[in-house]
Amino acid sequence: MAVAHHLAAHDRIITTLEAVACGFTERQIASRVKRGLWARLARGVFFSVEHPFTDAARIRAIAAAHSATIDRASAAWWHGFRDDHPGRVTASIPRTCKLGTRCDVPADLRRRTYPSEDVTALRGIPVTGPALSILGAASMLDDEPALNFLDRMLQKGTVTVPELTASLDRNSGIHGLGRARRLVTVVADASEFEAERLFVRLLKQEQLTGWTQQAWLCGYRYDFAFPAERIAIEIHGHAFHKWEDRWNRDLTKANAVATAGWLPLAYSWEMLNFHRERSMTELTQAIAARRGELM
């Protein structure tokens, strides 16, 4: 009965030590395996085959087989931050441990030793904490979905920017987290300055001339302007959509310059990074059209 309770509470995964603690002998364990009731996944790690082999069971098996800390995408899933789980379990083992145990569960194993502040026990297995799990999961995604994932975690209050930054600082040097730091910078909205610098480079690449930065129009400051063509341009960071008051203020600015005969345009960090060609084509077409109108 104790074994049944354990299996029910641990996604049908049990180790030799746990089975013995529940009153089983090694002979009884071997009998379960021989009769096909338990499948041996690794040395000393078993699965009760009477139930489906779930993602949770795979994660528990890897944690038990390798004394591993579950991290990255699997950790984010284990915490409930993601609905989908990747095919391979993501985990890390300490650099001082040998990877000698063979396990039938596919896994992406890394050799990493995490600071104690970034590891917790959740439902009986070691897993990276919320901040590091979110960072690790984001580092495995392409830029746009990674930014959306980080933004969603911040919007829901699951984690804060200072918590993400502190975890990055504690784990500096870990492969993949350098990119995660850049993504955090973007969602923290240091991205607006980055987007303005990128926009300048794109203007020069397109050999567009006649523009000026920080132009005052109708009592409002615009990031860029083409005075001869009467085009006013605003550049927005990734987090711009979060602030309703700023959104309303920019609508007022756009209406003011449009009433005065200017064409207001706006480009976001995402547009300049992920839809660069389309954004520049739109701008060059707008410049050509305005020149034709104002001749």
Side-chain angles (χ1 to χ4, degrees):
M1 186 63 70
V3 167
H5 283 307
H6 177 94
L7 290 170
H10 295 82
D11 303 296
R12 310 298 165 179
I13 297 293
I14 193 167
T15 67
T16 297
L17 291 177
E18 290 165 343
V20 170
C22 290
F24 264 40
T25 65
E26 292 194 11
R27 178 174 293 182
Q28 286 175 305
I29 295 171
S31 174
R32 289 283 178 116
V33 174
K34 185 176 181 179
R35 287 185 291 153
L37 298 176
W38 289 3
R40 191 189 306 273
L41 302 177
R43 183 178 180 182
V45 181
F46 308 92
F47 170 69
S48 175
V49 300
E50 299 170 281
H51 297 83
F53 193 40
T54 62
D55 289 329
R58 293 182 181 90
I59 289 173
R60 285 191 186 276
I62 290 297
H66 300 293
S67 299
T69 297
I70 304 302
D71 61 10
R72 291 168 286 155
S74 293
W77 184 86
W78 194 258
H79 278 285
F81 303 151
R82 291 185 53 169
D83 296 328
D84 59 321
H85 183 266
R88 298 171 69 86
V89 176
T90 55
S92 291
I93 60 172
R95 294 186 178 93
T96 54
C97 292
K98 293 182 179 180
L99 186 59
T101 303
R102 178 182 175 276
C103 184
D104 292 337
V105 179
D108 177 4
L109 294 176
R110 304 284 176 89
R111 287 194 175 278
R112 293 173 176 172
T113 301
Y114 293 115
S116 58
E117 300 96 318
D118 286 298
V119 179
T120 187
L122 183 61
R123 299 196 298 283
I125 64 170
V127 59
T128 49
L132 187 55
S133 298
I134 289 168
L135 291 166
S139 71
M140 297 181 68
L141 299 171
D142 292 336
D143 280 355
E144 193 164 9
L147 287 169
N148 291 335
F149 173 65
L150 285 172
D151 194 37
R152 187 165 65 252
M153 293 296 97
L154 291 169
Q155 294 254 30
K156 291 170 66 176
T158 303
V159 72
T160 65
V161 170
E163 288 170 342
L164 292 174
T165 302
S167 184
L168 285 167
D169 290 343
R170 287 192 297 269
N171 294 277
S172 60
I174 286 182
H175 177 73
L177 289 189
R179 176 170 169 270
R181 186 181 292 275
R182 183 179 69 84
L183 294 170
V184 170
T185 299
V186 171
V187 294
D189 214 25
S191 58
E192 187 160 318
F193 176 64
E194 181 184 333
E196 288 184 16
R197 292 198 303 173
L198 173 58
F199 191 66
V200 169
R201 293 200 301 271
L202 294 175
L203 291 175
K204 292 178 178 178
Q205 286 176 13
E206 296 293 327
Q207 298 182 339
L208 296 174
T209 58
W211 53 272
T212 184
Q213 271 186 276
Q214 309 302 321
W216 284 90
L217 308 171
C218 304
Y220 297 98
R221 184 183 64 80
Y222 269 81
D223 297 317
F224 295 87
F226 285 81
E229 293 80 9
R230 298 178 72 80
I231 296 176
I233 300 172
E234 278 284 87
I235 304 296
H236 299 311
H238 175 79
F240 170 75
H241 62 280
K242 296 180 183 178
W243 317 117
E244 185 177 357
D245 57 339
R246 186 175 172 190
W247 171 257
N248 290 328
R249 186 170 67 249
D250 273 29
L251 288 177
T252 301
K253 289 170 60 175
N255 290 341
V257 296
T259 301
W262 287 71
L263 173 64
L265 297 175
Y267 296 98
S268 67
W269 186 94
E270 287 85 351
M271 294 170 71
L272 297 178
N273 278 275
F274 304 136
H275 309 289
R276 188 172 299 179
E277 184 176 348
R278 186 172 70 194
S279 298
M280 288 299 99
T281 298
E282 177 185 86
L283 177 58
T284 54
Q285 289 176 346
I287 292 171
R290 292 293 286 180
R291 285 173 179 170
E293 293 171 6
L294 299 173
M295 285 182 61

